[in-house]
Amino acid sequence: MRTRPTPRQLPAALALLLCAACTGGAGATDAADRAPGVSGARPGAAGVGDPLFPKLGNGGYDVSRYRLTLDYAPDSHRLKGTAELTARTTRALTSFHLDLAGLRVREATVDGRPAKTARTGTELTLTPAAALPKGRTFKATVVYDGEPKTISDPDGSEEGWIKTADGAVGVGEPTGSMTWFPGNHHPSDKAAYDITVTVPQGYTAVSNGDLTLRTEHGDHTTFRWHTDEPMASYLATVAIDDFDIHTTTTDGTLPQYVAVDPELADRATDVPDQVTEVIDWQTRTFGPYPFSSTGAIVADLPDLGYALETQTKPLYPSPPSEPLLVHELAHQWFGNSVTPRTWKDMWLNEGFATYAEWLWEEDHNGRTAQEVFDDFYDGTDDESEGIWDFPPAGPPSAGRISDPPVYGRGAMVLHKVREAVGDKTFFTILRAWTRDHRHGNADTAQFIALCEKKSGKDLEDLFDVWLYADGKPKKP
């Protein structure tokens, strides 16, 4: 998620507002909700029951593909969009929910037939002309427009659709993607994406995956981006500006696309070569790169305060440092390809990406990982403040998932595992983790089971002390 965050407390009023905004009324099911001919059909749930974001996402269906067709006018800050979702029901549905914040819905269809719509907070409810039986693959299309909004995170930072000096950027972790397209916005429902963006001539629209089409028509240009590997919606992005574009291949085979705001070009000249170097090192360390392309987006967003691991092209609000590049690119394995089932397991993203920084420093004539561990334990590392506030596997609220324990103490957990099982087994575990759960979802229990299986050791005490226990453990 956000690299090197500043700890912030979540105001009680903001927490209540977030819960209210995510709440939608699935309502009680009675005879009126049931459709003739489809046994047991009822409204879909307005949330998946995430421990920290209970009303985020939606129940009753799984999305396999999003086709987003967007038209953005930077001068007026107007977005026109059509979202087509291909999904499969997991139970019979009379209606189902999509997450959408702001924007005006103009029309909706399910399998080409008009569907009724209703809005409550960030819940958009679609009621198809006929109930959908369990196991049915269907297409839902929503046409919408308006001024996409920027929203506040539970930790007080901004996300959603954010205007830059000359364009805009969509950032989505954990809930911001719902500000620019309707969907099932929980990381447990990953899907393929086709994102087509039309912008005024002179602008470039950058998104995830591979650029498959660029066409000019009149005074506009259309860019079509394709992501075949599954992606959680919080990792989707669109960046619009008059970018300088750098294309090459990493290790001679992997397409690399780097977009840099021209105002930052002089300070970002090394970024393309650094991306290549880091991806090559991480491939050797973590296993095969999990996607069909790589790259970076360097935007001019000095007040954003964080970078984000948007899939295939991490977003940086300014020219990134080398450790920041290492961190966000490591997320392509840890978080993007292997995605937590719930937000409670964020340490599986951030602990791994932080430990990647330690390994990079160790392999590039800096401190050893043990020395970094000791500096964190002693509180002498600049990033060690606040790491004992709560256990990495137990963020106490939605507003704390990007706090220091998830990052620094999460990395310390991994170092203790490495110390317990030895280097050979430890790196075997990392490669097995990225291989066994490639493009899927996984949780902490599965990681612990893998560590014990590969090492043949009982690691219960280690994880109890370093991952789950409150407070600072005794000096190792």
Side-chain angles (χ1 to χ4, degrees):
M1 192 180 176
R2 298 174 172 90
T3 307
R4 309 189 185 283
T6 301
R8 279 166 291 190
Q9 295 296 323
L10 174 64
L14 180 59
L16 291 173
L17 179 62
L18 178 76
C19 291
C22 291
T23 306
T29 301
D30 56 26
D33 294 322
R34 301 180 183 276
V38 179
S39 176
R42 63 188 190 276
V48 298
D50 185 277
L52 297 177
F53 296 85
K55 293 300 181 181
L56 195 63
N58 306 281
Y61 65 94
D62 290 319
V63 182
S64 60
R65 181 175 295 277
Y66 290 87
R67 295 186 187 275
L68 307 178
T69 304
L70 309 175
D71 189 316
Y72 181 66
D75 289 345
S76 62
H77 189 50
R78 298 286 296 182
L79 177 69
K80 297 179 181 178
T82 299
E84 180 187 278
L85 290 68
T86 301
R88 184 175 184 272
T89 58
T90 57
R91 59 179 174 81
L93 296 172
T94 56
S95 63
F96 57 92
H97 290 253
L98 300 172
D99 301 312
L100 181 65
L103 302 170
R104 181 174 180 178
V105 174
R106 296 292 182 174
E107 62 178 280
T109 62
V110 175
D111 289 335
R113 302 175 66 186
K116 294 179 181 179
T117 63
R119 301 287 295 272
T120 303
T122 59
E123 296 293 332
L124 168 64
T125 304
L126 269 59
T127 302
L132 302 171
K134 181 179 178 180
R136 165 79 172 271
T137 298
F138 67 95
K139 288 187 178 180
T141 302
V142 180
V143 180
Y144 58 97
D145 60 41
E147 294 188 12
K149 47 197 260 190
T150 299
I151 61 176
S152 291
D153 244 0
D155 68 1
S157 56
E158 291 187 335
E159 58 172 312
W161 194 267
I162 299 177
K163 289 191 286 186
T164 63
D166 300 307
V169 173
V171 285
E173 189 175 17
T175 66
S177 293
M178 69 172 73
T179 66
W180 55 280
F181 69 95
N184 197 17
H185 290 292
H186 188 268
S188 60
D189 192 3
K190 300 168 70 171
Y193 280 74
D194 290 290
I195 301 177
T196 300
V197 188
T198 297
V199 291
Q201 197 168 39
Y203 285 86
T204 298
V206 183
S207 189
N208 313 89
D210 306 316
L211 181 62
T212 60
L213 179 69
R214 180 186 185 278
T215 59
E216 295 185 3
H217 40 96
D219 57 356
H220 285 77
T221 308
T222 296
F223 299 82
R224 182 176 299 162
W225 294 88
H226 173 72
T227 301
D228 204 38
E229 302 94 351
M231 178 168 68
S233 65
Y234 78 88
L235 299 169
T237 191
V238 169
I240 297 165
D241 215 315
D242 56 341
F243 289 114
D244 291 342
I245 304 301
H246 307 266
T247 59
T248 184
T249 56
T250 300
D251 197 25
T253 57
L254 181 69
Q256 177 177 304
Y257 186 104
V258 175
V260 179
D261 186 291
E263 296 296 322
L264 306 175
D266 291 345
R267 296 163 51 202
T269 55
D270 293 337
V271 171
D273 288 342
Q274 288 176 318
V275 170
T276 299
E277 181 184 5
V278 170
I279 287 293
D280 288 347
W281 175 82
Q282 290 179 337
T283 298
R284 295 192 301 271
T285 305
F286 305 134
Y289 181 75
F291 303 113
S292 60
S293 62
T294 190
I297 301 169
V298 184
D300 190 7
L301 286 167
D303 297 328
L304 186 61
Y306 62 87
L308 191 64
E309 63 269 23
T310 42
Q311 192 156 303
T312 69
K313 299 177 189 67
L315 171 71
Y316 305 97
S318 60
S321 65
E322 190 174 76
L324 184 56
L325 275 166
V326 171
H327 185 105
E328 302 304 336
L329 289 171
H331 275 307
Q332 306 307 306
W333 284 263
F334 306 105
N336 295 14
S337 176
V338 186
T339 306
R341 295 187 191 281
T342 74
W343 287 109
K344 196 86 171 176
D345 284 325
M346 269 292 289
W347 85 275
L348 291 171
N349 290 14
E350 303 303 346
F352 279 76
T354 301
Y355 197 63
E357 295 181 57
W358 299 10
L359 294 174
W360 173 271
E361 185 174 351
E362 182 174 74
D363 283 357
H364 292 79
N365 301 314
R367 294 173 296 175
T368 66
Q370 182 62 55
E371 289 171 334
V372 181
F373 178 98
D374 292 340
D375 288 345
F376 267 73
Y377 187 88
D378 295 336
T380 57
D381 189 281
D382 291 342
E383 303 300 321
S384 62
E385 183 178 356
I387 61 172
W388 312 114
D389 288 354
F390 58 82
S397 68
R400 306 295 299 277
I401 61 172
S402 59
D403 276 11
V406 177
Y407 291 70
R409 188 172 167 185
M412 296 177 83
V413 172
L414 295 173
H415 190 73
K416 294 302 292 182
V417 172
R418 179 184 177 186
E419 185 180 66
V421 305
D423 276 15
K424 182 178 180 180
T425 300
F426 177 74
F427 287 102
T428 296
I429 289 169
L430 293 191
R431 295 185 188 101
W433 181 249
T434 61
R435 181 192 66 238
D436 295 351
H437 301 288
R438 184 180 174 95
H439 301 152
N441 294 89
D443 58 31
T444 297
Q446 290 173 292
F447 179 69
I448 293 173
L450 176 66
C451 291
E452 294 189 329
K453 178 181 178 182
K454 292 296 183 181
S455 67
K457 295 185 176 183
D458 182 351
L459 302 174
E460 181 179 359
D461 289 345
L462 184 156
F463 285 107
D464 282 349
V465 170
W466 290 94
L467 185 61
Y468 291 109
D470 290 320
K472 185 177 181 178
K474 293 180 180 179
K475 190 169 180 63

